[in-house]
Amino acid sequence: MKNVANKETLLVALGGNALLRQGEEGTIAEQFANLRLPMRQVARLSRRYRIIITHGNGPQVGNLLLQQESCAAVPKLPLEILVAQTQGQIGYMIESTLDSELAALGSGKRHLVSLISYVVVDASDPAFREPSKPVGPFYREEEAKGLPWPVRKTPKGYRRVVASPRPVTIVEKSEIRALIDMDFIVICCGGGGIPVIREGRAFHGVDAVIDKDLASARLAGEVGVEILVIATDVPGVALGYGSTGERFLDRLTVAAARRHLEQGEFPAGSMGPKVEAALQFMEGGGKRAVICGIDEIEAAAAGRAGTEVLLG
Ligand code: ADP
Ligand code: MG
């Protein structure tokens, strides 16, 4: 536990695509293989920083929903339970891969833990009146009509839509703080956290999905993080993304980020929440926020890759 007090804390938010990439079948072997390079980098970074890892779960929770649809023999599970399942499944994969990479590095024994995490949302969040986040399988129009949830037409077919309320607070923040103070590497807030509403001292799970980037920014503010690295499947933030004039940025000021967000450069549900999370983090006193490719976590933490979001 020596020198822990002097170590800065680094939060790495891994995109769901870190595990399950487009064009792959999505087998467990592929998911483990995709984790190796990011975890090798996190293992090296853990020598200098206290580490928190958060992760997405989009493709995994979509697959669990699809499995439920294909089985009439057992009762269907609510979304909050599926999110909890993905925290266990992905937490296990991250933890075991990171453990192997730490061993390969010859690091002394490090304590790792993955934490089932609740995130409080506000029952009066306007997002509940307007479910907007598509999840799970695609349906034909006739199938979609008989479903018990709100659905929306998307370019590839009808999909279930759920509310995506804003994260208010991370229920386990004190536990996470205590664990990183003891130099545990903590994996938490998977899939944005299990969304819960507070009723007195009790919590109730709700059918919703919290954005994992916004949950990560909230967590960073609540436990005291110096560096936030949001790792995804593009090298950073671009202007004119997907157009012939596309240009990836090394830096983006908070003021410019706000302007571009308003102009629609960073869409809701993908780059928008990443930029917003970086803004919130920096305005809350963070030291460095970078959005980068999954293979450049180490360089991004040092300010040598990705798009850094800067105050001023
Ligand atoms: P993750 O699983 O890492 O959260 P997302 O799919 O939610 O990944 O967000 C990353 C995606 O954002 C990229 O794959 C890219 O297609 C999309 N994107 C939209 N606008 C931009 C932009 N301006 N710059 C870079 N990527 C963008
Ligand atoms: Mg995302």
Side-chain angles (χ1 to χ4, degrees):
M1 246 199 270
K2 61 179 185 319
N3 296 332
V4 174
N6 305 328
K7 275 178 157 179
E8 290 185 326
T9 304
L10 169 70
L11 190 161
V12 181
L14 288 177
N17 52 71
L19 284 121
L20 232 165
R21 297 189 182 167
Q22 270 191 347
E24 288 182 344
E25 226 182 302
T27 64
I28 287 297
E30 283 169 337
Q31 298 188 49
F32 268 119
N34 290 337
L35 270 174
R36 210 165 295 135
L37 187 50
M39 287 308 112
R40 189 165 305 160
Q41 298 179 64
V42 171
R44 284 197 292 255
L45 285 164
S46 73
R47 296 199 279 211
R48 264 196 299 137
Y49 297 102
R50 297 189 254 195
I51 303 278
I52 300 175
I53 301 171
T54 61
H55 62 84
N57 71 350
Q60 292 80 8
V61 87
N63 285 353
L64 287 177
L65 277 164
L66 192 54
Q67 282 175 346
Q68 304 226 27
E69 297 304 303
S70 337
C71 174
V74 289
K76 294 200 194 318
L77 300 170
L79 202 52
E80 84 206 64
I81 301 295
L82 300 185
V83 172
Q85 288 188 358
T86 63
Q87 289 189 350
Q89 158 190 351
I90 302 172
Y92 155 63
M93 297 179 77
I94 290 177
E95 193 175 324
S96 59
T97 307
L98 182 53
D99 197 41
S100 307
E101 292 301 331
L102 285 163
L105 205 62
S107 291
K109 177 71 191 146
R110 282 294 293 273
H111 296 296
L112 310 178
V113 66
S114 22
L115 212 68
I116 297 293
S117 322
Y118 298 175
V119 175
V120 176
V121 297
D122 185 345
S124 63
D125 190 310
F128 283 110
R129 292 196 297 273
E130 233 176 283
S132 61
K133 189 174 172 62
V135 292
F138 294 89
Y139 301 97
R140 290 192 307 275
E141 192 172 353
E142 321 77 80
E143 294 171 316
K145 280 184 189 143
L147 293 171
W149 330 283
V151 288
R152 179 188 281 183
K153 194 175 176 181
T154 75
K156 284 195 275 176
Y158 286 79
R159 279 182 100 184
R160 175 178 181 184
V161 282
V162 294
S164 192
R166 302 186 78 81
V168 174
T169 187
I170 315 301
V171 174
E172 297 82 4
K173 55 184 175 290
S174 313
E175 289 83 350
I176 296 169
R177 172 92 253 176
L179 288 165
I180 55 171
D181 282 347
M182 291 189 290
D183 213 19
F184 275 66
I185 297 177
V186 184
I187 302 153
C188 57
C189 291
I194 301 167
V196 295
I197 286 173
R198 209 194 298 261
E199 279 177 15
R201 283 196 57 181
F203 296 107
H204 279 290
V206 285
D207 255 0
V209 171
I210 301 168
D211 183 87
K212 73 106 178 40
D213 296 309
L214 296 179
S216 301
R218 198 88 275 274
L219 173 66
E222 291 189 328
V223 304
V225 164
E226 277 79 21
I227 303 181
L228 172 67
V229 173
I230 300 178
T232 184
D233 63 350
V234 283
V237 182
L239 293 184
Y241 180 73
S243 74
T244 47
E246 172 181 287
R247 184 165 59 91
F248 278 90
L249 307 170
D250 292 334
R251 318 161 153 246
L252 180 61
T253 63
V254 166
R258 281 244 155 70
R259 208 170 56 241
H260 295 312
L261 265 170
E262 274 166 27
Q263 292 163 347
E265 289 274 358
F266 314 136
S270 62
M271 192 45 75
K274 295 184 199 307
V275 171
E276 225 185 288
L279 287 179
Q280 277 176 23
F281 175 71
M282 291 306 293
E283 289 182 333
K287 193 168 149 189
R288 169 175 290 153
V290 194
I291 298 164
C292 68
I294 195 79
D295 299 342
E296 293 188 310
I297 295 171
E298 229 179 335
R304 286 186 277 102
T307 305
E308 183 164 352
V309 176
L310 302 160
L311 289 180

